[in-house]
Amino acid sequence: MEELLEKIDNLKISLDNQEEVKKIKELNKQTTEDRNLLELISKYKEKPSEELKKEIYKNELYKKYKESETDINLLIMSINNKLKEINNRGNCR
């Protein structure tokens, strides 16, 4: 059990060192500091409209964040595929 916990810790460290993870953490920080973007999002949550949605999508920081989010999703898919391969190798057929 201890070996498993150690491997999980190593995985966490490895993920934290991934460029995609570093990038989205930085973009998340920048996003939370962008008052204009936060105000737009807040207004959109209160009263959604296509105009506000377009204005949010025009924001460069938001675009970068969404691109980075896509990169993270691809990383997750890659990890899931690797785990599936590992799991399939362990099955007796």
Side-chain angles (χ1 to χ4, degrees), residues 72-85:
I72 291 293
N73 287 330
L74 292 171
L75 177 62
I76 291 169
M77 286 174 44
S78 173
I79 291 169
N80 284 337
N81 284 337
K82 272 289 194 210
L83 290 172
K84 188 182 262 186
E85 285 177 24

Side-chain angles (χ1 to χ4, degrees), residues 1 3 8 10 14 18 21-23 26 29-31 33-34 37 39 41 54 57 59-61 68 73-74 82 89 93:
M1 182 67 166
E3 183 181 341
I8 290 172
N10 289 340
S14 176
Q18 289 289 319
V21 174
K22 289 179 183 179
K23 183 177 179 182
E26 179 60 33
K29 182 181 175 189
Q30 291 175 16
T31 302
E33 293 171 354
D34 186 331
L37 179 57
E39 187 177 321
I41 293 170
K54 287 178 183 178
Y57 285 168
N59 183 291
E60 283 302 313
L61 184 57
S68 184
N73 287 330
L74 292 171
K82 272 289 194 210
R89 271 190 259 148
R93 293 179 186 212

Side-chain angles (χ1 to χ4, degrees), residues 54-68:
K54 287 178 183 178
E55 202 170 333
I56 292 169
Y57 285 168
K58 285 181 189 176
N59 183 291
E60 283 302 313
L61 184 57
Y62 183 80
K63 287 180 190 178
K64 288 179 184 177
Y65 184 87
K66 293 307 276 183
E67 289 171 4
S68 184

